[in-house]
Amino acid sequence: MNKEEINLFIERNLTNFSVNSTGWEELIRKLLFEFAIAGWNLEYNVFGKEKFGELRCYTYSEEEALNDKLKNIRDKYSKLSVKTCEICGSEGKIRTIGSWETTLCLNHFLEQQPVIEIDNKQNITRNNKPVLNIKNVVRAEVEYDLQRLRLYNRQNEGVYFSWQEPNYYLLLKAIPLSFFPKENQSEISTLFQYLQDCEICGNKAVHQKNCLRCHHEPWNDNGYFIQEYGEKSNYIKECQMDIFMDEDDYEKYFKHDRSFEKSPEHHILFTSDDLREYE
């Protein structure tokens, strides 16, 4: 085989990969090139797709030695794909958008994640796109311990919102209690009336032994906390360092969240030396 034959093989098979965008094109080109070098019959097509945020390639050869080579190549590029943004090809990682897993860089992750906003005219938007006006809401429902909200308009059309979206609790608080079923009204009112300060993230967001903002459990003197951390300051410090490092990009996504008040007496307990040692 010569270089021209390999290039034709690559170009012909690029369209056989069902992927979400062009960010993996270079990976697929390299995979196909290595297939050709390994001994794959260039007359046969190669097929692949994106599944669960990973590049999958489906090939088989009756020649055992070649099949082993192909498997190693497939595994190599599957591992590379979960570190490569499907849209732009820069460094990425597997993320969840709604209920779908996809591999994205931070910028494209933030672009696709919904962000709820409410303006002074009570318009609700997601990523600057109009969704509904609170004045047009006639009924509201909550599910899963208040973690999911559905608002209905006069045409009985419903729109879902999730606690995983920034400003979700800001929206929940903005909906008049009378729109909710009576069995939920007291629960919603109690949530906002009795929120406590979180010593970890500094938001007034602790509800039923859990922070709705950073999702950490407040310190208590039971056996597990004492055994694992010794004292309260060690626990708070470690949790604060986890937030600062933000390996899951949660804080970057929620940087515009205005659901909870900030505590003026909040203190950061770790130093730069503590962080370096923890990392």
Side-chain angles (χ1 to χ4, degrees):
M1 70 182 75
N2 56 43
K3 184 176 180 181
E4 184 179 352
E5 289 175 325
I6 294 176
N7 288 337
L8 288 173
F9 164 74
I10 292 172
E11 294 302 323
R12 187 181 80 243
N13 282 278
L14 276 176
T15 57
N16 293 336
F17 284 75
S18 177
V19 293
N20 297 324
S21 189
T22 59
W24 286 351
E25 184 174 312
E26 188 60 26
L27 289 182
I28 297 170
R29 286 181 179 276
K30 291 179 179 178
L31 177 147
L32 291 170
F33 176 80
E34 291 196 27
F35 269 28
I37 298 301
W40 178 260
N41 188 331
L42 301 190
E43 294 181 3
Y44 296 160
N45 289 333
V46 178
F47 296 89
K49 67 179 182 179
E50 180 274 338
K51 187 173 183 180
F52 303 126
E54 181 179 353
L55 178 63
R56 304 286 181 90
C57 180
Y58 303 99
T59 53
Y60 177 76
S61 171
E62 293 183 356
E63 184 183 337
E64 187 175 344
L66 175 58
N67 217 34
D68 289 340
K69 292 180 181 178
L70 298 178
K71 181 182 183 303
N72 290 335
I73 296 169
R74 292 196 307 268
D75 290 347
K76 171 184 174 180
Y77 285 96
S78 288
K79 291 176 182 177
L80 288 172
S81 69
V82 296
K83 299 178 182 178
T84 306
C85 177
E86 296 179 38
I87 296 176
C88 68
S90 60
E91 183 179 351
K93 61 183 178 181
I94 292 182
R95 307 176 190 272
T96 301
I97 305 291
S99 59
W100 296 94
E101 287 188 322
T102 181
T103 301
L104 298 171
C105 64
L106 177 61
N107 288 337
H108 285 114
F109 168 65
L110 296 179
E111 280 182 8
Q112 296 194 33
Q113 283 288 73
V115 176
I116 301 167
E117 290 291 353
I118 309 169
D119 66 20
N120 54 12
K121 295 182 179 179
Q122 296 189 295
N123 292 306
I124 305 169
T125 61
R126 270 196 180 116
N127 290 352
N128 301 316
K129 296 179 181 178
V131 175
L132 187 64
N133 188 289
I134 294 177
K135 296 174 184 177
N136 295 325
V137 175
V138 296
R139 181 163 56 95
E141 295 176 352
V142 284
E143 302 172 356
Y144 308 118
D145 294 330
L146 307 184
Q147 292 186 345
R148 197 167 183 182
L149 170 68
R150 186 165 188 169
L151 302 179
Y152 294 87
N153 60 18
R154 293 183 177 88
Q155 289 74 42
N156 203 36
E157 298 168 334
V159 183
Y160 269 115
F161 301 90
S162 167
W163 66 276
Q164 295 171 313
E165 302 172 67
N167 293 321
Y168 169 79
Y169 289 100
L170 184 70
L171 174 60
L172 181 61
K173 189 176 182 180
I175 304 302
L177 285 175
S178 60
F179 290 179
F180 294 94
K182 287 186 178 180
E183 60 266 26
N184 298 128
Q185 293 178 11
S186 176
E187 183 182 11
I188 295 169
S189 176
T190 299
L191 183 153
F192 292 109
Q193 187 175 357
Y194 295 103
L195 287 174
Q196 301 295 314
D197 289 340
C198 177
E199 295 179 277
I200 296 167
C201 70
N203 290 275
K204 190 174 184 179
V206 175
H207 173 66
Q208 295 181 348
K209 299 182 179 180
N210 186 61
C211 179
L212 301 177
R213 179 59 177 78
C214 70
H215 309 296
H216 286 96
E217 185 179 353
W219 168 268
N220 66 70
D221 294 323
N222 70 26
Y224 166 77
F225 281 83
I226 297 294
Q227 182 178 353
E228 287 293 315
Y229 299 97
E231 59 184 46
K232 180 178 179 180
S233 61
N234 292 334
Y235 172 70
I236 294 175
K237 181 192 296 184
E238 184 167 320
C239 291
Q240 287 180 342
M241 288 190 290
D242 281 335
I243 292 174
F244 183 86
M245 290 168 63
D246 194 19
E247 292 181 351
D248 296 322
D249 297 326
Y250 177 85
E251 288 298 316
K252 296 182 181 72
Y253 177 38
F254 272 78
K255 65 181 179 180
H256 300 303
D257 186 79
R258 297 177 285 108
S259 295
F260 307 105
E261 299 175 20
K262 282 285 188 180
S263 171
E265 299 179 358
H266 178 242
H267 298 289
I268 298 296
L269 300 188
F270 66 88
T271 65
S272 56
D273 290 338
D274 292 330
L275 187 63
R276 280 194 293 272
E277 182 179 350
Y278 188 62
E279 290 176 323

